[in-house]
Amino acid sequence: MLDFYYMLYSAPCRSILMLAQALGVELNRKQVDLDAGDHLKPEFVKINPQHTIPTLVDGDFALWESRAILLYLVEKYGKDDALYPKDAKQRALINHRLFFDLGTLYQSYVYYYYPQLFEDVKKPADPENFQRIDAAFAAFNSLLQGQKYAAADSLTVADFALLATVSTFDVTGYDFSQYTNVSNWYENAKKELPGWEENWEGCLYYKKLYLSQL
């Protein structure tokens, strides 16, 4: 069984929980309370020197960074290549969407909301960083033109990462209804991706813990 160090409120962690359910992979879940400093304990730092979650341990192999974990799981445990096709061009598009999520969409959330929520001295909202969110959703909307799924004509690993991110924006109260392609993709993904219910449970947990501060 794989050891999985996580917190349910974390969007990157939730993406892995959903994919594991889709793959039928059982995870030995180990909650890491960041507020209590669990990630800084020597036994965890020994596993992951960057002391971040999510972290996956498969035997003597440890891996962190959620998109890397997603790809590892789907390549090692996928029963076929449906979620991560072997065709180089299809993989390139899936990889692009994963990197877009990491560096643009999810990062826009970090830029705008994290200073208000997690810094020792809370900072007021920065309207310029809010514009990053709008720009990221506009870009995602363009990527989804004519598409039911994020990167292909069927569900892929990219949809799991992006659904975890967009649902976090949703529970935070960001209104993306003007981005019709995103809204349509989101409604479809909620129905099709295994583990949506637990993902939303994590969103609500995150809202309870932190979003009241906004």
Side-chain angles (χ1 to χ4, degrees):
M1 187 184 298
L2 289 72
D3 289 337
F4 182 55
Y5 296 84
Y6 80 112
M7 281 301 295
L8 187 58
Y9 60 68
S10 161
C13 292
R14 287 186 271 110
S15 69
I16 294 164
L17 292 173
M18 287 190 287
L19 181 65
Q21 184 168 329
L23 296 173
V25 173
E26 187 175 356
L27 300 174
N28 180 28
R29 301 186 184 194
K30 297 178 177 287
Q31 291 197 49
V32 179
D33 189 339
L34 301 182
D35 293 331
D38 287 354
H39 60 304
L40 301 176
K41 292 180 178 178
E43 57 268 28
F44 186 70
V45 175
K46 185 177 181 180
I47 296 169
N48 175 356
Q50 289 183 278
H51 48 80
T52 56
I53 57 167
T55 294
L56 182 79
V57 179
D58 189 358
D60 59 358
F61 177 68
L63 184 66
W64 48 97
E65 191 354 82
S66 65
R67 287 92 185 161
I69 295 173
L70 290 171
L71 292 176
Y72 174 74
L73 288 175
V74 77
E75 288 193 282
K76 183 171 181 181
Y77 294 101
K79 296 177 177 64
D80 51 41
D81 70 344
L83 293 176
Y84 195 49
K86 290 183 170 60
D87 178 80
K89 291 181 179 179
Q90 289 182 304
R91 283 201 169 185
L93 289 177
I94 294 167
N95 293 341
H96 172 271
R97 302 306 191 262
L98 290 171
F99 297 147
F100 170 78
D101 178 49
L102 172 64
T104 301
L105 190 61
Y106 188 75
Q107 190 61 42
S108 73
Y109 189 97
V110 171
Y111 280 132
Y112 183 72
Y113 289 107
Y114 275 28
Q116 304 172 61
L117 295 172
F118 301 121
E119 294 193 8
D120 291 337
V121 178
K122 302 294 190 297
K123 295 182 179 179
D126 184 337
E128 290 189 8
N129 283 334
F130 193 82
Q131 292 175 7
R132 291 176 184 253
I133 297 175
D134 289 339
F137 270 87
F140 189 30
N141 200 64
S142 295
L143 293 172
L144 289 169
Q145 185 63 39
Q147 295 282 123
K148 184 177 180 181
Y149 303 97
D153 294 331
S154 59
L155 199 66
T156 70
V157 65
D159 292 283
F160 291 84
L162 287 159
L163 181 59
T165 294
V166 173
S167 60
T168 304
F169 277 103
D170 185 9
V171 81
T172 305
Y174 177 74
D175 181 8
F176 50 86
S177 59
Q178 63 179 302
Y179 304 105
T180 305
N181 296 333
V182 176
S183 295
N184 291 340
W185 166 84
Y186 183 56
E187 291 305 315
N188 181 68
K190 289 193 294 184
K191 297 173 185 174
E192 290 202 23
L193 267 69
W196 161 256
E197 292 80 7
E198 185 176 27
N199 175 75
W200 189 245
E201 177 188 344
C203 288
L204 296 177
Y205 181 42
Y206 171 65
K207 181 178 182 179
K208 178 180 177 181
L209 284 178
Y210 298 115
L211 296 181
S212 62
Q213 303 175 46
L214 292 175

